[in-house]
Amino acid sequence: MPSSPTSELVLIFDFGSQYAQLIARRVRELNVFCQIVRHELSASRVAELKPKGIILSGSPYSVYETGAPKLDPAILNLGIPVLGLCYGMQLGCQILGAEVAGSTRREFGRAPIRVIDPDIILAGVPRETIVWMSHGDQVKATSSDFEVLAVTDTCPVAAVKHKSKPFYGLQFHPEVSHTPEGGRMLRNFLHDVCGCEGLWKIHTFIDRAIADIREKVGDKRVICGLSGGVDSSVVAALLLKAIGPQVACIFVDNGLLREGEADSVRHTFRDWFKAELHMADASTRFLDALKGVTDPQEKRKLIGFHFIEVFKEEAKSIPGAKYLAQGTLYPDVIESGGAKDGPAATIKMHHNVGGLPAELGFDLIEPLRDLFKDEVRKLGTELGLPDAVVWRHPFPGPGLSVRCLGEVTREKLEVLRQADVIFLEELLASDWYRKTAQAFAVLLPVQSVGVMGDGRTYENVVALRAVQTDDYMTADWSRLPQDLLATVSTRIINEVRGVNRVVYDISSKPPATIEWE
């Protein structure tokens, strides 16, 4: 039997770095399976997991600071290759007998380094190259057990190796794009130091996932909660490939969807994949519940409550269902503390089908729990999902209710849908849709004075929002071309009755959030 793609496990110890997930993504891009774990993981647990390598992340702390996160020193005696990055390098060097102290010359941002000895980790890297530094501390003195591999004008130990243990350290961040040769350095460590072959590929993941699903499910039925989003759609497509007619999909139309959303789900899964699809039209129920409600948190609570009730009612019509499938991704596992006692221990119960609770009485299946979003998109393409689904922007669980500020009504939703679809059409036509991570229209609860023809108007204001982000924890507003914004504004004002003003949101996250409510 061929090796499992997860057999080449690399553990990433998180010491509180803002780049921990980015390190993991870079490792996955090199076709090596990795998982983020908390820094308290013991040497005995590491030995049980049998990783091919370990990466120690950076940290906002100093290694000599009271309360700074530590590493079980015995991990460095297991014979497993270790790569320390920034704080991780300083911590590993300190454990192995080097001195770490604050520097009089801190380095933040781009810095030139000179390679003294490329060894394995810097093989193929130019003798002089640029790296991204972010440190105020330095390894000040090393014993004869260490060999310095690279320096900068102000940092005498920019890269280092231990002579008798498989420990390497880089004072800079190879995972960020500002270190041009960073990918080569990580590849050198993973392939040449750790001996990884690069088994983590989407087609091998599909084969393994299908086998796991079939083994777990047997002849039982599985319910898949569909939202129309990327994650739940990929889960459904994977399940259909694995167990076909044993899958029943439930899609709840809450009346708060974008234009054509329900039709798109129906066409993709009922017509294209020939899936058993239950379409629950509960739009009247949701809109009646939202009458007079203006507080966004109250909107979310009401929508969540009624979603669960509708889902439960629809699930009763599917006899013999034992399992419930959800599109939980690896970042959900990390953010919920799932890495506390080792790789992926706890799953966050919140996902894009509305946060279906355990009390529904089903056993959970979460086949995407080891994947990042970019890997899910690759998987969706491999499974035959259309690009419109694979590259669809995230859509909030409460739907347009949190983009229709104030009370939600059918009339206001119709105005919002028309404005939103125009915005998305123009983004697609100008090739800007995939350059943005999320884009949408917001209907504001204010009216503004305008002039149309020879008459005075007093009508609605629509705000446009487009952001760029990798992780959705932080986001910057998209610098859309002025001509594109002008086209969108003109179309909305001319084509959407009741709108006489369009504005563009130039707020970043933080301090703003991506959604307005």
Side-chain angles (χ1 to χ4, degrees), residues 371-388:
L371 301 185
F372 287 98
K373 177 70 84 174
D374 54 337
E375 294 172 315
V376 171
R377 294 193 195 280
K378 292 177 184 176
L379 177 57
T381 299
E382 192 83 12
L383 291 168
L385 284 169
D387 281 352

Side-chain angles (χ1 to χ4, degrees), residues 13 49-50 95 100 107 118 123 146 225-226 233 262 275 292 372 374 383 421 440 451 459 478 487 497:
F13 278 69
L49 293 169
K50 299 179 180 178
I95 291 172
V100 179
E107 286 183 307
F146 290 92
L226 268 179
S233 296
F372 287 98
D374 54 337
L383 291 168
V421 77
F440 52 90
V451 177
E459 293 180 327
S478 297
T487 299
R497 187 173 296 276

